[in-house]
Every structure is written in C-alpha cells, then in structure tokens.
Amino acid sequence: MYKALIDRLEKENNLTAEEYLELIRHREEIRNYAAERAVSVRKEYYGNKVFIRALIEFTNYCRNNCYYCGIRAGNANAERYRLTADEIIACADEGYVLGFRTFVMQGGEDPYFTDDILCDIIRRIKKNHPDCAVTLSLGERSFESYKALKEAGADRYLLRHETCDPEHYKKLHPDSMSYDNRMRCLTELKSLGYQVGAGFMVGSPYQTENDLANEMVFLREFNPQMVGIGPFIPHKDTPFGEYKSGTAEMTVFLLSLIRLTLPRVLLPATTALGTVDPKGREKGILAGANVLMPNLSPLHARKKYMLYDNKICTGDEAAKCIACLSERIKSTGYEIVTDRGDYSNGI
Ligand code: SAH
C-alpha cells in the first residue's frame, strides 16, 4: 500500500498532506523503495552527476537572534570575523582551480556588507570567472537590495523558510522576525529571476511529523529550484542548547520524498547531515540528493562559523576536503563534475 503511494508520488509528483504523513509514519517499511525510486528519477535528469558548490562562509556577524543558531547576535561566546573582499575573491580563485563552478557566499545578516560592497564582490567574482554561478545566502534584505545584487550578477539565492507553519516559526525566532517577511523575501527573490532555494531543519524543536508532511505540500506549491534540508543540531550557547538533534534517517527519507515531489530539484546532502552521521552525505546521495557544498572558507574562519556543535570539516584545507569528498562519492558509484550545475541543466 505504501509502495502504491510512492508510485503515485513518482507519477504525479503530488500527494495530500495526509498521504505524506502516512509515508512519514511508516518510513521504516518504505524507505528503501522510496530511495530506489528517487534515485531513478534523479538519474533521468542528472545521470550520475553530483554537483559541488564552494561554500564561502564570509561573515559570522549577525543582527538576528534565531533561537537555534550558534552565530546569533546574543551569543557573546562567538568569536566574530568577517572576510575582506580580497579574501573572498581569493577563495573563489582557489575554488576555481579545484573545479568549482558555483560559489556560495553565506553569512549572518551583517550590516557591514552593504549593497555596494556586495555588488562589487559579485562583479569581481563574475569578471574573474564568467563561466561560474554566484549563489547568495545572506538572509532577509529589501527588494531593492535583492534587485541590485541580481543586477551585479548573482544567479541564485538560498533562503530556508525554516518552517511553513507561522506558529512554529514564532517558536524558533524572536518577535523581531516574522514568517511573513521570510515569505516576502522568497517570493521577491523568485520574481527577480533568481534560482531560489527554500528549506528547513529536520527535527527542530516543536516540529511534528504532521509539520513535516505540510512541508512537503509547501515545497510542492512553492516549487523552488533548490531545497536545503538538514537535521537540527543543538549549539550549546543558544536557547535550544539542550534540545535533541534531528536524525539522519528522517532527513534521508525526506530527501527521497522531496526528489519524488520535485524531480528536477537541486538537492544537497548537507554538512549537518554529515555531522549527525559519518556516512550521512553518502546516504543522502543514495536517497536522491545531487549536490554537495564543501566548505572553502579560509582555515582561520572555519571554526568560528559554528551554527551548531561538532560541525565537521572545520580543520582541513580546501584541496584536502574536495579529495576526501571525491573519494566518498566515487564509493557510492557517483561522479563529482566540474559544472555550474544549473536547474534542469541535466542530461
Ligand atoms: N543567515 C542566513 C544564512 C546562514 S544560516 C540565513 O538566514 O539564511 C543557514 C542555515 O543554517 C539556516 O537557514 C538554518 O536552517 C541552518 N542552521 C542554523 N542553525 C542550525 C542548527 N543549530 N542546526 C542545524 N542547522 C542550522
């Protein structure tokens, strides 16, 4: 019976929230089949290719106070840093040599990085590497700001919605932040022509299986080009420091459901997934994910960009990181490619 639901999902890319919930509740029985079908769908669009994105964590200053996040403004123990424009450009140049064709600039909401400063950095990266994509992950900004960044050459924007339930959103964020503003940002980013990434943490405090079923419906409706999900992992210096981590098994199962719902989606097996399970990223790829985002930030910054405790890959230099990942991916029968890896740019 659950097989029939998976088959219908594969065929129609759509189920009701109740049906998704049935699958989530009975995932033990159906996870292997879901992964098999998800991998088959992914192969249709992307073959054996796994895309890599160079993640440049360029500032851990943040004006926000998300209850889950280790770089929240209120964490006085976080040692703050920001990379200079030249350091960011140098990261991209190094990444290019290593085979990366997408650079992801991610950071806290740092007021230092005005539109002028960011546009200048984006233009410089695009000038050095016209064959590359620039992805931004800088949180909530104004329409004018998103527009200016797009005109400077940014191609994609990652902004996880974190939860599709406004009440749940309030439990994860202080009153200064709102679900409505998050959604405003996502809608505007789409209207500006960015390839947009939404997403959420798996097992965040107060999240229920029913919420996860609703997430699948939300993703289906919003239809983003990218979806980032990873387990919630507590950070000791946050209000959620004592909460439990989300699990790799739930995350991996949801990756399969997302692939079957949005067949062409660009879907990373995240660092958080590799943190809760040493083989998490490989399991993610084998369940339908097709993107990896290794950290390319300079070593001195790595240990300071701690969104959660025990984050992996904070000690190795970039070249070593990519060699390790390539081996891991080959062991699963997939192949890392030097490619921008755009949406629906598959085979
Ligand atoms: N400030 C930017 C990007 C940095 S945070 C933004 O708001 O989009 C990137 C993502 O890390 C967040 O969207 C969140 O889903 C995830 N994250 C933050 N804290 C986490 C934690 N404790 N465990 C797992 N993921 C976390």
Side-chain angles (χ1 to χ4, degrees):
M1 162 190 181
Y2 304 120
K3 265 192 172 180
L5 276 182
I6 292 288
D7 288 341
R8 181 143 58 82
L9 180 57
E10 178 179 352
K11 216 162 125 212
E12 297 173 7
N13 311 125
N14 202 6
L15 294 176
T16 64
E18 293 71 28
E19 289 167 333
Y20 279 119
L21 182 59
E22 278 294 286
L23 289 174
I24 289 168
R25 285 201 175 130
H26 298 93
R27 61 191 180 281
E28 266 326 307
E29 285 164 60
I30 198 68
R31 65 167 58 261
N32 289 341
Y33 187 65
E36 180 193 316
R37 297 320 309 152
V39 162
S40 154
V41 165
R42 194 252 330 262
K43 280 215 163 111
E44 233 171 87
Y45 294 99
Y46 296 108
N48 270 353
K49 291 182 192 168
V50 171
F51 300 124
I52 47 172
R53 321 297 197 194
L55 186 59
I56 306 171
E57 296 159 339
F58 69 100
T59 175
N60 72 349
Y61 283 88
C62 191
R63 66 190 168 109
N64 284 333
N65 248 321
C66 307
Y67 298 149
Y68 44 83
C69 184
I71 64 168
R72 64 202 303 272
N75 180 8
N77 292 333
E79 214 184 305
R80 305 289 168 174
Y81 75 92
R82 60 171 68 94
L83 302 187
T84 64
D86 286 347
E87 284 176 307
I88 297 170
I89 305 298
C91 274
D93 291 346
E94 187 189 356
Y96 191 87
V97 175
L98 292 170
F100 291 95
R101 295 297 178 267
T102 292
F103 305 109
V104 183
M105 288 176 56
Q106 186 178 84
E109 293 193 14
D110 180 354
Y112 168 84
F113 284 98
T114 58
D115 292 349
D116 283 350
I117 292 178
L118 287 168
C119 286
D120 180 56
I121 295 169
I122 295 164
R123 278 193 218 102
R124 285 174 65 188
I125 297 179
K126 292 293 263 196
K127 181 158 176 276
N128 289 356
H129 311 292
D131 53 336
C132 291
V134 170
T135 304
L136 302 176
S137 179
L138 321 169
E140 299 172 17
R141 300 178 78 92
S142 67
F143 179 82
E144 289 68 33
S145 174
Y146 289 146
K147 186 162 181 277
L149 300 171
K150 183 84 181 56
E151 282 166 4
D155 302 276
R156 310 185 187 130
Y157 205 104
L158 306 177
L159 187 76
R160 292 186 178 179
H161 58 287
E162 313 296 358
T163 169
C164 66
D165 177 351
E167 288 307 310
H168 186 214
Y169 192 92
K170 280 191 200 160
K171 295 185 182 158
L172 303 179
H173 303 94
D175 287 345
S176 54
M177 297 178 73
S178 78
Y179 174 86
D180 287 347
N181 197 47
R182 203 81 179 165
M183 289 300 152
R184 185 234 355 125
C185 291
L186 280 168
T187 311
E188 289 181 354
L189 287 164
K190 238 188 175 182
S191 75
L192 284 163
Y194 283 94
Q195 293 176 45
V196 174
F200 56 89
M201 291 175 289
V202 177
S204 62
Y206 312 108
Q207 182 184 67
T208 63
E209 291 185 346
N210 195 38
D211 290 331
L212 289 172
N214 289 331
E215 292 297 351
M216 298 301 111
V217 174
F218 171 84
L219 288 176
R220 165 86 196 123
E221 284 166 3
F222 184 68
N223 194 22
Q225 286 88 0
M226 305 171 280
V227 173
I229 67 164
F232 160 75
I233 304 171
H235 185 294
K236 58 182 174 7
D237 298 322
T238 64
F240 290 165
E242 301 296 321
Y243 283 75
K244 284 201 319 267
S245 287
T247 64
E249 65 85 15
M250 178 68 97
T251 306
V252 167
F253 180 65
L254 293 174
L255 286 171
S256 296
L257 292 189
I258 294 168
R259 170 64 58 201
L260 292 168
T261 304
L262 303 170
R264 293 185 299 166
V265 75
L266 294 161
L267 191 61
T270 54
T271 305
L273 180 54
T275 298
V276 293
D277 180 335
K279 288 261 187 251
R281 285 171 301 175
E282 291 90 325
K283 288 179 186 173
I285 298 292
L286 291 169
N290 65 337
V291 173
L292 291 167
M293 298 172 66
N295 191 329
L296 227 78
S297 321
L299 275 184
H300 70 84
R302 298 273 184 99
K303 288 210 186 319
K304 297 180 189 157
Y305 197 82
M306 281 292 182
L307 305 181
Y308 45 80
D309 292 331
N310 306 316
K311 188 177 165 201
I312 54 168
C313 306
T314 55
D316 289 339
E317 62 199 48
K320 234 172 130 184
C321 239
I322 184 74
C324 157
L325 264 186
S326 291
E327 275 316 304
R328 285 169 178 265
I329 292 315
K330 270 196 209 131
S331 77
T332 63
Y334 290 83
E335 184 200 358
I336 285 183
V337 292
T338 295
D339 192 311
R340 268 174 60 119
D342 283 296
Y343 185 68
S344 78
N345 194 21
I347 53 174

